[in-house]
Amino acid sequence: MRVLGIETSCDETGIAIYDGDKGLLGHLVHSQTDVHAVYGGVVPELASRDHVRKVLPLIIGVLEQTNLSKSDIDGVAYTCGPGLIGALLVGAAIGRTLAWALGVPALGVHHMEGHLLAPMLEEDGPEFPFVALLVSGGHTQLMEVKGVGSYRLLGESLDDAAGEAFDKTAKLLGLPYPGGPELAALAEEGDSTRFRFPRPMTDRPGLDFSFSGLKTFALNTIQQQVSSSSDNRQIKADIARAFEDAVVDTLVIKCCRAVKATGAKTLVLAGGVSANRRLRQRIQEVMQKEGARAYYPRLEFCTDNGAMIAYAGWQRLRTGASEPLKFSATPRWSMEDLPSVG
Ligand code: KG4
Ligand code: ZN
């Protein structure tokens, strides 16, 4: 079965074709960075309009890339939540309509399930069961995963998501949007011994997170240390490094706890923040010590993309799941509400 995947939940338009026998056949991603950079963050209406402009050319592009025609598509999967409602509706409307025109089944996919299953796009991907740390711009969640659709939430952020904390702190440091990767790059030049940020909620039991205090800690440090007279690059790099170390340490500590609590032998790291080099490295080292194996997607499948949606869609479409002509998009949606497969 060949599935066309469409991702339009936020500021990337992603299109891919996944083949149940041959794996991922092709994919394209268009990032809206240029559209939103001048505003310092995502402008929902501009995101929707840009998706409208890009979805069809990208579908044609992926068909060309894979030497396939529309009639080779056996099913269509589109992100139907969580995300920006206008942006979601673009992918949902085009995906559902295309499936109707082609006479094939269509399915709305949970964006975070896409992220969660993305490491399985790799040849040597993880096998169920596992614990997953989902770290994106909107979510920080630890999930116990027994199979596709069998998800138990172990803990989550009570306030800002890890990616959101990266983005907000980057803004405080005067870095351009999108802040997370910019802050990580600046942190590479930082001295890890100069400042020490707290590791929130690690001094008490439990698997929840809280990252909004780190942003305030960063603000206070900036106000004390950064002067208006010089360029302050080194101080900012040191602050970026201290912030990154605090987030990474906190995530790693909670992952260890989750692995111990569940007895899991596999940890999956996914979502935009899983592109962070230091996080990938630390998780790898620490899981090895715990006797568990860590998996994460290749870099291009950490942030939003169509491949993860095509794959998650295939996992469900192949069991006969599909949606009626009346489709919907869901801006807020818990993964625990998804039906289990198999
Ligand atoms: O999964 P994603 O592309 O979109 C959402 O579903 O939210 O995640 C985007 C988030 C942003 O907050 C971005 O700053 C963060 O992932 N991010 C990073 C890195 N690359 C992306 N954060 C830290 N280090 C990175 N290298
Ligand atoms: Zn995402």
Side-chain angles (χ1 to χ4, degrees), residues 289-303:
K289 276 192 203 137
E290 294 290 332
R293 190 161 166 205
Y295 291 85
Y296 29 72
R298 73 185 86 159
L299 283 177
E300 62 185 324
F301 297 152
C302 288
T303 45

Side-chain angles (χ1 to χ4, degrees), residues 126-307:
E127 282 177 17
F128 301 118
F130 53 75
V131 163
L133 173 68
L134 299 173
V135 267
S136 70
H139 294 78
T140 301
Q141 296 183 324
L142 272 164
M143 284 279 180
E144 185 175 26
V145 180
K146 296 216 168 112
V148 178
S150 177
Y151 308 132
R152 186 166 76 90
L153 184 66
L154 300 170
E156 65 182 334
S157 180
L158 305 178
D159 41 55
D160 291 352
E164 190 180 357
F166 262 95
D167 295 339
K168 287 178 174 172
T169 304
K171 219 172 190 175
L172 294 173
L173 287 166
L175 298 171
Y177 156 89
E182 291 280 341
L183 189 151
L186 183 62
E188 293 293 320
E189 300 167 32
D191 173 356
S192 64
T193 60
R194 180 138 177 210
F195 303 112
R196 186 176 166 84
F197 281 36
R199 274 61 176 156
M201 294 183 73
T202 54
D203 58 351
R204 68 196 88 161
L207 294 169
D208 287 333
F209 305 89
S210 165
F211 289 114
S212 69
L214 281 183
K215 169 194 69 196
T216 313
F217 201 89
L219 177 64
N220 292 339
T221 314
I222 291 166
Q223 281 170 347
Q224 284 158 18
Q225 303 284 335
V226 175
S227 68
S228 51
S229 53
S230 60
D231 91 330
N232 301 296
R233 186 169 176 89
Q234 191 56 51
I235 295 176
K236 287 185 177 179
D238 298 341
I239 294 172
R241 178 63 196 265
F243 170 83
E244 185 182 57
D245 281 348
V247 174
V248 169
D249 255 6
T250 306
L251 293 173
V252 167
I253 290 167
K254 298 280 165 135
C255 283
C256 284
R257 271 188 206 172
V259 163
K260 283 197 182 108
T262 56
K265 289 276 161 261
T266 305
L267 182 99
V268 161
L269 183 61
V273 183
S274 68
N276 185 275
R277 195 186 64 80
R278 215 173 299 281
L279 177 62
R280 291 163 85 92
Q281 191 185 327
R282 285 287 315 284
I283 287 277
Q284 191 72 264
E285 288 164 7
V286 172
M287 283 303 133
Q288 215 159 19
K289 276 192 203 137
E290 294 290 332
R293 190 161 166 205
Y295 291 85
Y296 29 72
R298 73 185 86 159
L299 283 177
E300 62 185 324
F301 297 152
C302 288
T303 45
D304 294 348
N305 64 85

